[in-house]
PDB file of all heavy atoms in Angstrom:
ATOM      1  N   MET A   5      -6.002   3.460   0.687  1.00  0.00           N
ATOM      2  CA  MET A   5      -5.654   2.647  -0.442  1.00  0.00           C
ATOM      3  C   MET A   5      -6.868   2.453  -1.353  1.00  0.00           C
ATOM      4  O   MET A   5      -6.701   2.403  -2.558  1.00  0.00           O
ATOM      5  CB  MET A   5      -5.124   1.302   0.033  1.00  0.00           C
ATOM      6  CG  MET A   5      -3.846   1.386   0.865  1.00  0.00           C
ATOM      7  SD  MET A   5      -2.487   2.321   0.141  1.00  0.00           S
ATOM      8  CE  MET A   5      -2.150   1.426  -1.318  1.00  0.00           C
ATOM      9  N   ALA A   7      -9.288   4.587  -1.922  1.00  0.00           N
ATOM     10  CA  ALA A   7      -9.475   5.807  -2.702  1.00  0.00           C
ATOM     11  C   ALA A   7      -8.458   5.934  -3.829  1.00  0.00           C
ATOM     12  O   ALA A   7      -8.724   6.603  -4.823  1.00  0.00           O
ATOM     13  CB  ALA A   7      -9.390   7.026  -1.787  1.00  0.00           C
ATOM     14  N   ARG A   8      -7.322   5.292  -3.683  1.00  0.00           N
ATOM     15  CA  ARG A   8      -6.272   5.330  -4.704  1.00  0.00           C
ATOM     16  C   ARG A   8      -6.405   4.195  -5.712  1.00  0.00           C
ATOM     17  O   ARG A   8      -5.573   4.021  -6.578  1.00  0.00           O
ATOM     18  CB  ARG A   8      -4.892   5.258  -4.059  1.00  0.00           C
ATOM     19  CG  ARG A   8      -4.522   6.464  -3.276  1.00  0.00           C
ATOM     20  CD  ARG A   8      -4.433   7.666  -4.196  1.00  0.00           C
ATOM     21  NE  ARG A   8      -3.596   8.688  -3.590  1.00  0.00           N
ATOM     22  CZ  ARG A   8      -2.809   9.472  -4.264  1.00  0.00           C
ATOM     23  NH1 ARG A   8      -2.732   9.374  -5.563  1.00  0.00           N
ATOM     24  NH2 ARG A   8      -2.106  10.376  -3.645  1.00  0.00           N
ATOM     25  N   TYR A  14      -9.186  -5.888  -0.281  1.00  0.00           N
ATOM     26  CA  TYR A  14     -10.024  -5.943   0.920  1.00  0.00           C
ATOM     27  C   TYR A  14     -11.310  -6.681   0.639  1.00  0.00           C
ATOM     28  O   TYR A  14     -12.020  -6.367  -0.310  1.00  0.00           O
ATOM     29  CB  TYR A  14     -10.352  -4.522   1.396  1.00  0.00           C
ATOM     30  CG  TYR A  14      -9.128  -3.720   1.743  1.00  0.00           C
ATOM     31  CD1 TYR A  14      -8.564  -2.843   0.829  1.00  0.00           C
ATOM     32  CD2 TYR A  14      -8.542  -3.831   2.997  1.00  0.00           C
ATOM     33  CE1 TYR A  14      -7.435  -2.107   1.155  1.00  0.00           C
ATOM     34  CE2 TYR A  14      -7.414  -3.102   3.335  1.00  0.00           C
ATOM     35  CZ  TYR A  14      -6.870  -2.237   2.399  1.00  0.00           C
ATOM     36  OH  TYR A  14      -5.754  -1.519   2.720  1.00  0.00           O
ATOM     37  N   VAL A  16     -13.863  -6.745   2.898  1.00  0.00           N
ATOM     38  CA  VAL A  16     -14.905  -5.897   3.460  1.00  0.00           C
ATOM     39  C   VAL A  16     -14.519  -4.426   3.366  1.00  0.00           C
ATOM     40  O   VAL A  16     -15.327  -3.587   3.075  1.00  0.00           O
ATOM     41  CB  VAL A  16     -15.161  -6.274   4.944  1.00  0.00           C
ATOM     42  CG1 VAL A  16     -16.182  -5.349   5.560  1.00  0.00           C
ATOM     43  CG2 VAL A  16     -15.605  -7.718   5.055  1.00  0.00           C
ATOM     44  N   PRO A  18     -10.944  -1.577   4.577  1.00  0.00           N
ATOM     45  CA  PRO A  18      -9.881  -1.412   5.563  1.00  0.00           C
ATOM     46  C   PRO A  18     -10.460  -1.254   6.963  1.00  0.00           C
ATOM     47  O   PRO A  18     -11.550  -0.722   7.134  1.00  0.00           O
ATOM     48  CB  PRO A  18      -9.157  -0.160   5.114  1.00  0.00           C
ATOM     49  CG  PRO A  18      -9.954   0.446   4.026  1.00  0.00           C
ATOM     50  CD  PRO A  18     -11.009  -0.503   3.623  1.00  0.00           C
ATOM     51  N   ASP A  26      -3.881  -4.846   3.856  1.00  0.00           N
ATOM     52  CA  ASP A  26      -3.223  -3.532   3.839  1.00  0.00           C
ATOM     53  C   ASP A  26      -1.832  -3.633   3.223  1.00  0.00           C
ATOM     54  O   ASP A  26      -1.438  -2.799   2.408  1.00  0.00           O
ATOM     55  CB  ASP A  26      -3.103  -2.974   5.263  1.00  0.00           C
ATOM     56  CG  ASP A  26      -4.448  -2.727   5.899  1.00  0.00           C
ATOM     57  OD1 ASP A  26      -5.255  -1.988   5.315  1.00  0.00           O
ATOM     58  OD2 ASP A  26      -4.684  -3.286   6.987  1.00  0.00           O
ATOM     59  N   ARG A  27      -1.097  -4.654   3.631  1.00  0.00           N
ATOM     60  CA  ARG A  27       0.258  -4.844   3.117  1.00  0.00           C
ATOM     61  C   ARG A  27       0.234  -5.110   1.612  1.00  0.00           C
ATOM     62  O   ARG A  27       1.022  -4.550   0.851  1.00  0.00           O
ATOM     63  CB  ARG A  27       0.964  -5.984   3.851  1.00  0.00           C
ATOM     64  CG  ARG A  27       2.432  -6.103   3.481  1.00  0.00           C
ATOM     65  CD  ARG A  27       3.168  -7.115   4.348  1.00  0.00           C
ATOM     66  NE  ARG A  27       2.455  -8.357   4.558  1.00  0.00           N
ATOM     67  CZ  ARG A  27       2.395  -9.365   3.681  1.00  0.00           C
ATOM     68  NH1 ARG A  27       3.021  -9.282   2.542  1.00  0.00           N
ATOM     69  NH2 ARG A  27       1.727 -10.461   3.970  1.00  0.00           N
ATOM     70  N   ASN A  28      -0.702  -5.943   1.179  1.00  0.00           N
ATOM     71  CA  ASN A  28      -0.798  -6.252  -0.257  1.00  0.00           C
ATOM     72  C   ASN A  28      -1.221  -5.029  -1.064  1.00  0.00           C
ATOM     73  O   ASN A  28      -0.708  -4.800  -2.163  1.00  0.00           O
ATOM     74  CB  ASN A  28      -1.761  -7.409  -0.482  1.00  0.00           C
ATOM     75  CG  ASN A  28      -1.213  -8.718   0.041  1.00  0.00           C
ATOM     76  OD1 ASN A  28      -0.008  -8.920   0.092  1.00  0.00           O
ATOM     77  ND2 ASN A  28      -2.090  -9.612   0.456  1.00  0.00           N
ATOM     78  N   THR A  30      -0.687  -1.902  -0.203  1.00  0.00           N
ATOM     79  CA  THR A  30       0.452  -0.983  -0.170  1.00  0.00           C
ATOM     80  C   THR A  30       1.531  -1.441  -1.137  1.00  0.00           C
ATOM     81  O   THR A  30       2.118  -0.625  -1.865  1.00  0.00           O
ATOM     82  CB  THR A  30       1.016  -0.868   1.261  1.00  0.00           C
ATOM     83  OG1 THR A  30      -0.029  -0.403   2.118  1.00  0.00           O
ATOM     84  CG2 THR A  30       2.180   0.104   1.322  1.00  0.00           C
ATOM     85  N   ARG A  31       1.798  -2.741  -1.189  1.00  0.00           N
ATOM     86  CA  ARG A  31       2.787  -3.274  -2.129  1.00  0.00           C
ATOM     87  C   ARG A  31       2.369  -2.975  -3.568  1.00  0.00           C
ATOM     88  O   ARG A  31       3.187  -2.557  -4.394  1.00  0.00           O
ATOM     89  CB  ARG A  31       2.969  -4.772  -1.954  1.00  0.00           C
ATOM     90  CG  ARG A  31       3.985  -5.348  -2.942  1.00  0.00           C
ATOM     91  CD  ARG A  31       4.132  -6.852  -2.843  1.00  0.00           C
ATOM     92  NE  ARG A  31       4.685  -7.220  -1.552  1.00  0.00           N
ATOM     93  CZ  ARG A  31       4.120  -8.072  -0.694  1.00  0.00           C
ATOM     94  NH1 ARG A  31       2.975  -8.652  -0.995  1.00  0.00           N
ATOM     95  NH2 ARG A  31       4.695  -8.350   0.440  1.00  0.00           N
ATOM     96  N   GLN A  34       3.031   0.608  -4.293  1.00  0.00           N
ATOM     97  CA  GLN A  34       4.464   0.840  -4.465  1.00  0.00           C
ATOM     98  C   GLN A  34       4.929   0.338  -5.833  1.00  0.00           C
ATOM     99  O   GLN A  34       5.700   1.018  -6.517  1.00  0.00           O
ATOM    100  CB  GLN A  34       5.248   0.159  -3.340  1.00  0.00           C
ATOM    101  CG  GLN A  34       5.029   0.809  -1.993  1.00  0.00           C
ATOM    102  CD  GLN A  34       5.517  -0.028  -0.834  1.00  0.00           C
ATOM    103  OE1 GLN A  34       5.548  -1.255  -0.888  1.00  0.00           O
ATOM    104  NE2 GLN A  34       5.908   0.641   0.253  1.00  0.00           N
ATOM    105  N   GLN A  37       4.243   2.591  -8.593  1.00  0.00           N
ATOM    106  CA  GLN A  37       5.169   3.720  -8.672  1.00  0.00           C
ATOM    107  C   GLN A  37       6.449   3.333  -9.423  1.00  0.00           C
ATOM    108  O   GLN A  37       7.322   4.157  -9.642  1.00  0.00           O
ATOM    109  CB  GLN A  37       5.561   4.206  -7.272  1.00  0.00           C
ATOM    110  CG  GLN A  37       4.412   4.548  -6.355  1.00  0.00           C
ATOM    111  CD  GLN A  37       3.392   5.454  -7.004  1.00  0.00           C
ATOM    112  OE1 GLN A  37       3.696   6.565  -7.415  1.00  0.00           O
ATOM    113  NE2 GLN A  37       2.160   4.966  -7.124  1.00  0.00           N
ATOM    114  N   THR A  40      10.622  -1.635  -6.969  1.00  0.00           N
ATOM    115  CA  THR A  40      10.796  -3.085  -6.949  1.00  0.00           C
ATOM    116  C   THR A  40      11.607  -3.475  -5.721  1.00  0.00           C
ATOM    117  O   THR A  40      12.131  -2.615  -5.010  1.00  0.00           O
ATOM    118  CB  THR A  40      11.535  -3.569  -8.210  1.00  0.00           C
ATOM    119  OG1 THR A  40      12.823  -2.943  -8.260  1.00  0.00           O
ATOM    120  CG2 THR A  40      10.756  -3.262  -9.483  1.00  0.00           C
ATOM    121  N   SER A  42      13.075  -4.371  -2.245  1.00  0.00           N
ATOM    122  CA  SER A  42      12.761  -3.891  -0.894  1.00  0.00           C
ATOM    123  C   SER A  42      12.039  -2.547  -0.903  1.00  0.00           C
ATOM    124  O   SER A  42      11.455  -2.153   0.099  1.00  0.00           O
ATOM    125  CB  SER A  42      14.033  -3.801  -0.048  1.00  0.00           C
ATOM    126  OG  SER A  42      14.921  -2.839  -0.592  1.00  0.00           O
ATOM    127  N   GLY A  46       5.557  -3.457   0.812  1.00  0.00           N
ATOM    128  CA  GLY A  46       4.210  -3.434   1.365  1.00  0.00           C
ATOM    129  C   GLY A  46       4.083  -2.683   2.671  1.00  0.00           C
ATOM    130  O   GLY A  46       2.992  -2.601   3.230  1.00  0.00           O
ATOM    131  N   GLY A  49       6.733   3.557   3.986  1.00  0.00           N
ATOM    132  CA  GLY A  49       7.810   4.401   4.498  1.00  0.00           C
ATOM    133  C   GLY A  49       7.526   5.844   4.123  1.00  0.00           C
ATOM    134  O   GLY A  49       6.449   6.165   3.589  1.00  0.00           O
ATOM    135  N   PHE A  57      -0.393  10.821  -0.023  1.00  0.00           N
ATOM    136  CA  PHE A  57      -1.110  12.017   0.416  1.00  0.00           C
ATOM    137  C   PHE A  57      -0.745  13.262  -0.401  1.00  0.00           C
ATOM    138  O   PHE A  57      -1.042  14.374   0.025  1.00  0.00           O
ATOM    139  CB  PHE A  57      -0.879  12.249   1.897  1.00  0.00           C
ATOM    140  CG  PHE A  57      -1.519  11.173   2.726  1.00  0.00           C
ATOM    141  CD1 PHE A  57      -0.753  10.162   3.282  1.00  0.00           C
ATOM    142  CD2 PHE A  57      -2.895  11.125   2.898  1.00  0.00           C
ATOM    143  CE1 PHE A  57      -1.342   9.144   4.034  1.00  0.00           C
ATOM    144  CE2 PHE A  57      -3.499  10.116   3.633  1.00  0.00           C
ATOM    145  CZ  PHE A  57      -2.703   9.129   4.191  1.00  0.00           C
TER     146      PHE A  57
END
Side-chain angles (χ1 to χ4, degrees):
M5 298 308 298
R8 291 296 202 145
Y14 300 97
V16 177
D26 297 304
R27 188 172 44 80
N28 291 332
T30 301
R31 179 183 295 125
Q34 291 166 331
Q37 306 311 300
T40 60
S42 64
F57 293 103

